[in-house]
Amino acid sequence: MAVQNIFDTDLKYLKGVGPQRAIILADELGLKTFGDLIYYFPYRYIDRTRFYSINTINEDLGLIQLKGRITKTELVGEGRSQRFVAWFADDTGAIPLVWFKGIKWIKERFMINAEYVVFGKPTEFNHQLNIVHPEVEEMSKYQAKPEFALQPLYNTSEKMKNKMVTTKTIHQLQINLHEVIKNATILETLPRQLLEKLNMPNLKTSLQDIHLPKNQHDLQRAQLRLKFEELFYIQLKLLRLKGIRSRANGGHRFEVVGQCFNNFYNNHLPFSLTNAQKRVLREIRQDTNTGLQMNRLLQGDVGSGKTLVALMSMLLALDNGYQACIMAPTEILAQQHYKSFCDMLAPMGIDVGLLTGSTKQSTRTQLLADLASGQLKILVGTHALIEDRVVFSSLGLVVIDEQHRFGVAQRAKLWSKNQIPPHVLVMTATPIPRTLAMTLYGDLDVSVIDELPPGRKPIRTMHYNDSRRLTMFGFLREQLKLGRQVYIVYPLISEPEASDLKYLEDGVESITRAFPEYAISVVHGRMKPSEKEQSMSFFSKGISQIMIATTVIEVGVNVPNASVMVIENAERFGLSQLHQLRGRVGRGADQSYCILMTGDRLTTEGRKRIQTMVETNDGFEIAEADLKLRGPGDIEGTQQSGVAIDLKIADLGKDNQILMLARNEASLILESDPNLKQPEHVILDSEIKRRWKYEFDWGQIS
Ligand code: ADP
Ligand code: MG
């Protein structure tokens, strides 16, 4: 077998695998080769040399190890609910160990007052901690075992556990695998000079130490190297892309600030810009006047006024003889942009077009003709803008609102519409943490609006249990009497099977009963677009006072008179989503409120999320907290982003410093060798190609 192919070897040839297990590992974890297995890293390590005292443990610790004696055993309960309980004590306290299964066997096993090591996960039951089905081992046996001090834990699925493939099995397979590759040559994947400079271990050592660490020190070095490598290649790819693009793509030069922009700024702007808006506009003006294509990400909290920045950038394009378009992720949002653009631009005599999936054929034909002739300068729309038949005469600027719903390929398609690619301004719906932005959009320049327009009263957020529902109703009544409007958001439309989640249909019924004197609008995802739109417009015109909805109203809806947002089963939503929903109120002059309704029992994580919402209104802070609590995979939008951030080991919530190091090293290398042609960098080029197998058209993709 050729040395470099050892990682390609089929897993079924590994001792301990065989055809049956090979199928399970492939189906459940996607592991097919030696290489797949060795890159299947532990999610945690248990320090088997460490013992906790009983009086210091709690539910949040996960698996822990205790040392002590069994003082008493008893059988509790009858029949199916019968369980075996062993009272386990150390110098600091006692805790029950509980078995529901295997009682017959276990009850003969223990000697009272002999010393044991107990390994398991404390959980709370009836306000008392216990450990269910722990591993229990005599002290003398524990000491004699040549166990690894740091025991790795691997994720496994329910199906695997049923087939007896557990974290221990995978641990054993890793041991077997290391026997095989011990004497093989493993090709290094980072330049030697870089490893020396950063004093990091080589790949082979790192892969060994990540699975079978001899001590904390070796483990940490291995983790650092593997995390660094993972983040480094992403940064190298993105920065290289950015470099190539800026060298290859010319851009339209917006040389003048002319009539459109100035007229709007001086005569039609209904308020003065915030300093942050001014700064971002300056950045955009500089970018668009370099002769290179702008690729800029605009981040700003809900309500920070990103749309206005977009509009004014589009006027800049017009001033220089170009067309501009803005693309929104939903029909509703596109319509809203269209309306506000028309309101602002009509006094200046500038036409705006709207193109969505439901634009009528006759309107569409005229619109497309006006675009192609260059008569229509500003177009608002949805995905429909990407279609091939949409042809501009001279597209100078593309604004993409609520970016994370558009993939890379879709972005690329828009600018292939022109010989010279248009400038691109990407706006996020909610702030994203720096580490995530750098990983998802590391090839873009970033602008931040970190200031809200003046005079906004911070929204007050309150948390109510279901038992305080009547209090909540009372509060709504007060607000409605003041002439305000309220939103009530449900996680589901219909009654769910086997769960006590609140659902919209039930809400409509009970709210109608409780507030007979008010009109109610309903909006959810199963309605036709036209029905949805009518319902929305009733609410925004004030014909209805209560809006009952699912999260379809999340993005962009703007009704300044609405002062209360009630979110049912708030514990079910992610932080960014809660923040986005909350941002629907607080848009007018009145004090606004967000009421988070939850069940009485919350998980630790759920409680933290609700608490974060109550404590802060700062979208950036909330995004950071979300990333830390849930990890990037779960954060709203990242799955659809089209950018794979399937990280095997690095954690964007925690590995901030490693990310900065990786970006810095990548950019130093590219500065000295932009095309990665130097002999010591050839390895970098081939690794990028190996990791991102699909062909890049470096010039086009952004
Ligand atoms: P988002 O950043 O969430 O897209 P919008 O652009 O929708 O925010 O702006 C929210 C509201 O704030 C809009 O009603 C807009 O007209 C208003 N607004 C924007 N900029 C300013 C400003 N400088 N002063 C006062 N109000 C502003
Ligand atoms: Mg917006």
Side-chain angles (χ1 to χ4, degrees), residues 306-307 337 401-402:
K306 295 184 289 286
T307 317
H337 279 328
D401 197 6
E402 324 293 357

Side-chain angles (χ1 to χ4, degrees), residues 335-407:
Q335 272 159 5
Q336 202 167 289
H337 279 328
Y338 174 68
K339 188 176 173 301
S340 70
F341 276 34
C342 287
D343 289 349
M344 286 192 272
L345 298 181
M348 294 170 50
I350 299 175
D351 285 341
V352 181
L354 174 67
L355 182 65
T356 70
S358 59
T359 303
K360 286 203 187 68
Q361 191 52 46
S362 53
T363 319
R364 178 185 300 256
T365 310
Q366 184 61 46
L367 195 86
L368 292 181
D370 291 347
L371 269 186
S373 71
Q375 203 177 330
L376 182 63
K377 304 279 190 219
I378 291 192
L379 181 65
V380 178
T382 55
H383 282 75
L385 296 194
I386 303 176
E387 288 168 20
D388 286 334
R389 54 189 165 154
V390 183
V391 179
F392 294 84
S393 87
S394 59
L395 182 59
L397 172 69
V398 175
V399 181
I400 304 178
D401 197 6
E402 324 293 357
Q403 149 66 17
H404 57 230
R405 312 215 178 183
F406 290 102

Side-chain angles (χ1 to χ4, degrees), residues 270-274 277 300-309 336-337 344 401-402 427-429 449 452-454 456 556 558 560 580 584 587:
F271 29 64
S272 50
L273 296 176
T274 62
Q277 285 171 319
D301 210 340
V302 191
S304 60
K306 295 184 289 286
T307 317
L308 194 66
V309 170
Q336 202 167 289
H337 279 328
M344 286 192 272
D401 197 6
E402 324 293 357
M427 307 198 290
T428 59
I449 304 188
L452 292 181
R456 297 263 170 90
N558 192 14
Q580 184 74 34
R584 297 307 110 219
R587 300 186 155 235

Side-chain angles (χ1 to χ4, degrees), residues 416-459:
S416 61
K417 285 181 181 297
N418 269 40
Q419 202 65 36
I420 296 180
H423 298 299
V424 178
L425 181 66
V426 161
M427 307 198 290
T428 59
T430 46
I432 38 180
R434 209 167 122 75
T435 52
L436 195 57
M438 218 178 254
T439 309
L440 286 172
Y441 311 115
D443 59 326
L444 307 181
D445 296 308
V446 179
S447 290
V448 179
I449 304 188
D450 49 6
E451 182 186 358
L452 292 181
R456 297 263 170 90
K457 293 204 180 83
I459 301 162

Side-chain angles (χ1 to χ4, degrees), residues 264-313:
F264 180 78
Y265 186 72
N266 295 323
N267 306 319
H268 297 278
L269 192 59
F271 29 64
S272 50
L273 296 176
T274 62
N275 286 327
Q277 285 171 319
K278 283 185 196 160
R279 189 186 62 237
V280 172
L281 276 169
R282 256 199 313 275
E283 286 167 346
I284 291 169
R285 272 173 58 180
Q286 275 160 13
D287 268 8
T288 51
N289 192 18
T290 58
L292 298 175
Q293 183 200 19
M294 170 176 84
N295 272 282
R296 189 166 278 280
L297 175 71
L298 175 54
Q299 285 215 61
D301 210 340
V302 191
S304 60
K306 295 184 289 286
T307 317
L308 194 66
V309 170
L311 175 74
M312 294 180 71
S313 309

Side-chain angles (χ1 to χ4, degrees), residues 316-335:
L316 201 59
L318 264 58
D319 276 339
N320 289 274
Y322 295 101
Q323 296 164 299
C325 68
I326 179 167
M327 187 160 80
T330 64
E331 176 112 18
I332 290 175
L333 197 56
Q335 272 159 5

